[in-house]
């Protein structure tokens, strides 16, 4: 898709998490965070493997205590994407996470403690070649400790978020550490966008984008799409995490849909379906959801169908016409439908076979 924001315009420094590069001219990457208990090895590894199939490129896990930290090595060995330890409050958890072999550490300057604690984390990361993300959240700014109910305007919030991020960046750089990623998140678009724009004017550090606590699937996806989309469309942002109160696999899909709609990444097929109307006598919604679940939860199918246009239309009045521009698809009748390839009507198939037929067609395509 041609689009004004097609290329990432802000040139950032490159930071490596394991073999994976963030920043520079690398594509904007997609990450997510497990919602399993990190102490539960099987549940966490199972979820990460499922997310890998969905296209997740970097995965973060919560490290609330030493038991969780001590599981990280085994988790890392069981997965194939970079593992990030999410640390709050206790610097020792960060040091243990690095010892366990994680690929990146996220710390929150608002709660990690004094500089000498941060220095210990930096020392460990530096000797292991592990980058640090400084994750600033509006809700846990240091400035809130002195002023818990501030009357700040959004711009004041954004400036403070940037100031706290840059203070931390400078502290890390004074320790001779440069492998830094920054995130500046608020739970609204205005502060998130302002903070990231301000930061990008002052630093070449790669930005991890996200709107924090964005909400339910629909509300959160809309909010994240706007916030992340506004930044990406200005060439700002190197890696993306969509926060939703939802299965993390849906967060991965939402992130890709944002990148796909801006022409920054490709992801699976272009699935086209009609909104249905009074003429429809098949369950288009069920078919499209089943197709999405089958394709996006399977790396092979997702990759094989990349760039294909597949149509599922509700009726034969407008369906065949609307499906003409698709590579293949189906237009419904009553419990059955016409299978169409490149605009040609090929055969009639039962509604119960539509999903399988699309999957067979993807598998058999060259
Ligand atoms: S394709 Fe048919 S069922 Fe779907 S919206 Fe158009 S007219 Fe209605």
């Amino acid at each position: 898709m041609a689009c004004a924001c097609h290329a990432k315009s802000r040139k950032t420094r490159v930071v490596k998490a394991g073999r994976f590069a963030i920043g520079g001219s690398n594509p904007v990457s997609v990450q997510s965070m497990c919602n399993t208990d990190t102490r539960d090895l099987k549940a966490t590894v199972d979820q990460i493997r499922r997310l890998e199939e969905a296209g997740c490129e970097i995965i973060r896990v919560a490290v609330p205590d030493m038991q969780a930290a001590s599981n990280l090595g085994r988790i890392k060995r069981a997965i194939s994407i970079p593992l990030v330890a999410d640390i709050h409050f206790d610097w020792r958890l960060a040091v243990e996470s690095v010892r366990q072999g994680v690929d990146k550490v996220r710390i929150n300057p608002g709660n990690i403690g004094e500089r000498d604690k941060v220095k210990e984390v930096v020392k460990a990361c530096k000797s292991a070649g592990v980058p640090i993300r400084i994750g600033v959240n509006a809700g846990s700014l240091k400035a809130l400790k002195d002023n818990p109910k501030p009357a700040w305007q959004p711009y004041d919030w954004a400036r403070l978020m940037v100031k706290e991020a840059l203070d931390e960046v400078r502290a890390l750089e004074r320790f001779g550490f440069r492998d830094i990623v920054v995130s500046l998140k608020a739970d609204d678009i205005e502060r998130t966008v302002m903070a990231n724009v301000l930061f990008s004017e002052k630093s070449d550090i790669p930005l991890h984008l996200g709107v924090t606590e964005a909400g339910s699937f629909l509300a959160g996806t809309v909010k994240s799409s706007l916030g992340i989309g506004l930044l990406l469309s200005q060439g700002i942002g190197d890696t993306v995490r969509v926060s939703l109160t939802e299965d993390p696999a849906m967060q991965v899909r939402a992130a890709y849909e944002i990148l796909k709609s801006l022409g920054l990444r490709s992801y699976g097929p272009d699935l086209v379906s009609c909104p249905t109307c009074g003429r429809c006598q098949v369950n288009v919604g069920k078919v499209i959801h089943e197709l999405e679940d089958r394709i996006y939860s399977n790396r092979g199918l997702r990759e094989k169908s990349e760039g294909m246009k597949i149509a599922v239309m509700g009726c034969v009045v407008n369906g065949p016409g609307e499906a003409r521009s698709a590579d293949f698809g189906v237009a419904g009748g009553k419990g059955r439908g016409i299978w169409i390839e490149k605009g040609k009507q090929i055969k009639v198939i039962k509604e119960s076979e539509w999903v399988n037929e699309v999957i067979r067609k993807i598998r058999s395509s060259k």
Side-chain angles (χ1 to χ4, degrees), residues 21-36:
I22 301 166
S25 51
N26 292 293
V28 179
S29 50
V30 169
Q31 47 182 295
S32 190
M33 183 166 181
C34 286
N35 59 7
T36 52

Side-chain angles (χ1 to χ4, degrees), residues 13 34 41 65 69 87 94 159 192 258 275 283-284 342 344 364:
R13 67 177 77 157
C34 286
L41 185 67
D65 58 22
I87 310 290
R159 272 189 19 212
T192 303
I258 295 170
N283 194 338
V284 174
K342 304 261 184 222
K344 280 204 185 115
S364 65

Side-chain angles (χ1 to χ4, degrees), residues 274-280 313-315 317-319 322:
C274 78
T276 75
C277 68
R279 293 190 189 95
C280 187
M313 296 293 166
C315 80
V317 176
N318 290 329
E322 288 170 22

Side-chain angles (χ1 to χ4, degrees), residues 68-301:
S70 66
N71 254 355
L72 296 174
R74 275 175 291 174
I75 294 172
K76 162 109 179 110
R77 288 189 289 281
I79 64 172
S80 53
I81 53 176
L83 180 65
V84 184
D86 192 71
I87 310 290
H88 291 268
F89 306 110
D90 189 346
W91 62 277
R92 285 164 299 201
L93 297 174
V95 173
E96 176 59 18
S97 301
V98 173
R99 206 182 68 76
Q100 289 282 329
V102 296
D103 300 291
K104 189 168 154 219
V105 168
R106 179 269 166 125
I107 55 171
N108 182 341
N111 63 33
I112 198 70
E114 299 309 316
R115 287 275 182 264
D116 56 333
K117 314 270 168 56
V118 175
K119 191 173 182 181
E120 292 305 315
V121 178
V122 172
K123 242 168 52 187
C125 288
K126 201 173 173 186
S127 63
V130 169
I132 295 176
R133 168 159 68 94
I134 298 168
V136 173
N137 279 359
S140 57
L141 286 177
K142 285 179 182 168
L144 289 170
K145 285 182 190 138
D146 305 325
N147 188 3
K149 288 200 174 153
W152 302 328
Q153 294 301 307
Y155 186 69
D156 304 321
W157 280 94
R159 272 189 19 212
L160 274 167
M161 289 162 74
V162 171
K163 180 186 175 304
E164 293 197 8
L166 286 174
D167 284 351
E168 208 62 24
V169 165
R170 286 187 198 111
L172 264 56
E173 289 186 338
R174 269 200 296 278
F175 299 141
F177 191 84
R178 280 181 54 83
D179 292 334
I180 307 165
V181 176
V182 160
S183 63
L184 301 135
K185 301 187 184 182
D187 60 8
D188 60 274
I189 296 169
E190 202 174 10
R191 291 181 299 170
T192 303
V193 170
M194 269 188 207
N196 281 278
V197 169
L198 278 177
F199 186 88
S200 72
E201 288 165 359
K202 293 176 192 288
S203 173
D204 72 336
I205 289 176
L207 279 167
H208 160 129
L209 300 185
V211 180
T212 195
E213 296 136 20
S216 66
F217 183 64
L218 179 63
T221 303
V222 170
K223 206 196 259 188
S224 296
S225 306
L226 276 168
I228 294 170
L230 278 167
L231 288 164
L232 290 172
S233 64
Q234 296 176 61
I236 297 168
D238 300 276
T239 181
V240 167
R241 191 262 170 127
V242 174
S243 303
L244 302 170
T245 312
E246 198 28 278
D247 177 352
M250 297 303 280
Q251 305 181 8
V252 170
R253 276 170 57 182
Y256 274 107
E257 291 301 334
I258 295 170
L259 296 173
K260 196 160 115 178
S261 64
L262 290 168
L264 290 168
R265 297 290 300 267
S266 50
Y267 185 68
D270 186 8
L271 274 177
V272 181
S273 58
C274 78
T276 75
C277 68
R279 293 190 189 95
C280 187
Q281 296 190 67
V282 285
N283 194 338
V284 174
K286 182 166 174 275
V287 170
I288 213 81
H289 286 133
E290 272 182 40
L291 269 179
E292 283 189 343
D293 285 346
R294 294 271 296 269
I295 294 169
Y296 291 117
S297 63
N298 181 306
R299 187 195 311 228
L301 275 176

Side-chain angles (χ1 to χ4, degrees), residues 282-353:
V282 285
N283 194 338
V284 174
K286 182 166 174 275
V287 170
I288 213 81
H289 286 133
E290 272 182 40
L291 269 179
E292 283 189 343
D293 285 346
R294 294 271 296 269
I295 294 169
Y296 291 117
S297 63
N298 181 306
R299 187 195 311 228
L301 275 176
R302 179 168 49 78
E303 289 177 356
K304 193 142 197 201
S305 60
E306 208 150 278
M308 288 179 182
K309 188 167 178 182
I310 304 168
V312 179
M313 296 293 166
C315 80
V316 288
V317 176
N318 290 329
E322 288 170 22
R324 194 167 293 143
S325 64
D327 292 301
F328 55 90
V330 65
K334 195 171 180 182
R336 59 193 61 238
I338 301 169
W339 181 258
I340 301 161
E341 291 182 18
K342 304 261 184 222
K344 280 204 185 115
Q345 300 187 14
I346 305 290
K347 58 186 172 184
V348 173
I349 51 173
K350 284 196 295 195
E351 184 183 354
S352 56
E353 271 306 298

